[in-house]
């Protein structure tokens, strides 16, 4: 096959992350740090494994996104080769909202899509990003009405599936190679997350930034 279509279950993923964060916070009251860190570390490891698998596939990976998407899951979407967003999608900067450490390689992908300056402005000064904003920045390739998201994803998947397999695999390898060393960044991100959880008590204070 030449294309994989992923429809992100955004709300369930977001809920799963929130539950993991709450459980880590509760565990801090009665358990050693290493045990308290495990729920959030497992989430981070799941993100990184997903990203590595997507980038290692010879097939194109298309994703459709809808609803409210934490920036941690933006990294998962940006790991895919083609992104279609429902026009009511909002990418929410939870690091500004809740003080959580960066996760999901979103920082790495945003610096490559936007450059360090624009990525820093987005990460440090913008609480949310609309689907239209993401389209203008090149973070998603298409925006469609929410009711048309499934059909738009299926149509794009069929179109990509008609491309020659070897040419697609070669293009995918070239695109991955052009973005540099993601693996080293992922190692650094994991260490930063572990350190932040140790120092600040799971995810830090929950007050406004």
């Amino acid at each position: 096959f030449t294309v994989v279509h992923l429809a992100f279950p955004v709300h369930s993923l977001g809920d799963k992350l929130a539950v993991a964060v709450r459980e880590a916070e509760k565990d801090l009251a009665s358990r050693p740090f290493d045990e308290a860190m495990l729920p959030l570390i497992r989430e981070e490891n799941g993100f990184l494994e997903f990203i590595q698998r997507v980038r290692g596939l010879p097939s194109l990976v298309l994703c459709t996104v809808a609803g409210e998407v934490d920036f941690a899951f933006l990294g998962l979407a940006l790991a895919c080769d083609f992104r279609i967003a429902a026009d009511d999608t909002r990418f929410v900067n939870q690091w500004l909202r809740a003080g959580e450490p960066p996760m999901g390689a979103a920082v790495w992908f945003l610096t490559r899509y936007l450059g360090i300056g624009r990525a820093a402005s987005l990460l440090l000064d913008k609480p949310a990003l609309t689907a239209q904003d993401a389209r203008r920045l090149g973070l998603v390739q298409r925006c469609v009405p929410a009711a048309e998201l499934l059909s738009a994803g299926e149509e794009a998947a069929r179109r990509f599936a008609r491309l020659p397999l070897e040419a697609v695999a070669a293009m995918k390898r070239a695109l991955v190679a052009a973005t540099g060393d993601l693996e080293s960044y992922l190692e650094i991100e994991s260490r930063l997350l572990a350190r932040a959880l140790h120092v600040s008590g799971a995810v830090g204070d929950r007050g406004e930034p």
Side-chain angles (χ1 to χ4, degrees), residues 21-22 31 49-50 59-60 62 78 86 126 149 151 161 198:
V21 170
R22 286 195 296 270
R31 299 186 182 182
E49 181 181 356
F50 174 92
S59 304
L60 293 178
L62 176 151
L78 293 175
K126 197 166 182 64
L149 182 63
S151 60
H198 272 301

Side-chain angles (χ1 to χ4, degrees), residues 99-188:
E100 297 167 11
M103 293 179 64
V107 173
W108 188 88
F109 284 106
L110 286 171
T111 58
R112 273 138 184 89
Y113 277 97
L114 306 178
I116 292 177
R118 285 202 294 173
S121 295
L122 174 60
L123 292 164
L124 299 174
D125 199 37
K126 197 166 182 64
L129 197 67
T130 67
Q132 293 73 26
D133 291 335
R135 172 72 172 81
R136 285 191 289 270
L137 291 170
L139 302 179
V140 300
Q141 284 93 333
R142 291 181 60 193
C143 288
V144 299
E148 300 174 13
L149 182 63
L150 179 59
S151 60
E154 291 175 345
E155 186 279 328
R158 285 193 296 268
R159 177 161 46 87
F160 292 145
R162 291 193 290 267
L163 298 174
L165 179 60
E166 291 303 319
V168 166
M171 179 62 73
K172 179 69 175 279
R173 287 194 297 269
L175 288 169
V176 170
T179 54
D181 185 9
L182 173 62
E183 285 64 33
S184 294
Y185 173 83
L186 297 182
E187 292 178 8
I188 292 169

